[in-house]
Amino acid sequence: MTGSASMDSSAPAEPAVVVKTVDNGPYQVKGPVKIVDHENNVYEIGPGRTRLLCRCGFSEKKPLCDGSHARQGFVAKERATTKVTE
């Protein structure tokens, strides 16, 4: 059998969209993804691009983070109680 390990089709693919929580901070979203707010404003995140979404509620640029969480002392370090697997 010939071929390289990089061509192994059994390796899990990287998800198209990744959402990560930042301790005491925003949601980190890596695209490609389209975000639409309550006023139908569209925020496109291209492939491989990252945007930060407000989680504290204080941002003046919602749904995007403007760093207000740091100025307001926002605290959120909760952890999931179970790991989700597919």
Side-chain angles (χ1 to χ4, degrees), residues 2-83:
T2 62
S4 71
S6 64
M7 298 181 89
D8 183 4
S9 62
S10 65
E14 180 70 24
V17 177
V18 176
V19 179
K20 180 178 176 181
T21 57
V22 177
D23 282 350
N24 303 321
Y27 292 110
Q28 182 182 57
V29 180
K30 186 173 182 180
V33 66
K34 180 186 341 183
I35 300 167
V36 181
D37 71 12
H38 65 283
E39 294 177 347
N40 289 322
N41 295 310
V42 176
Y43 304 85
E44 296 276 351
I45 302 174
R49 301 292 311 256
T50 300
R51 294 296 292 259
L52 302 175
L53 299 181
C54 179
R55 185 163 65 129
C56 71
F58 295 110
S59 177
E60 295 293 325
K61 297 181 179 183
K62 290 183 197 90
L64 305 176
C65 175
D66 68 358
S68 292
H69 59 277
R71 294 186 293 278
Q72 297 292 330
F74 178 70
V75 176
K77 292 185 179 183
E78 299 82 17
R79 299 291 188 258
T81 56
T82 59
K83 186 174 181 179

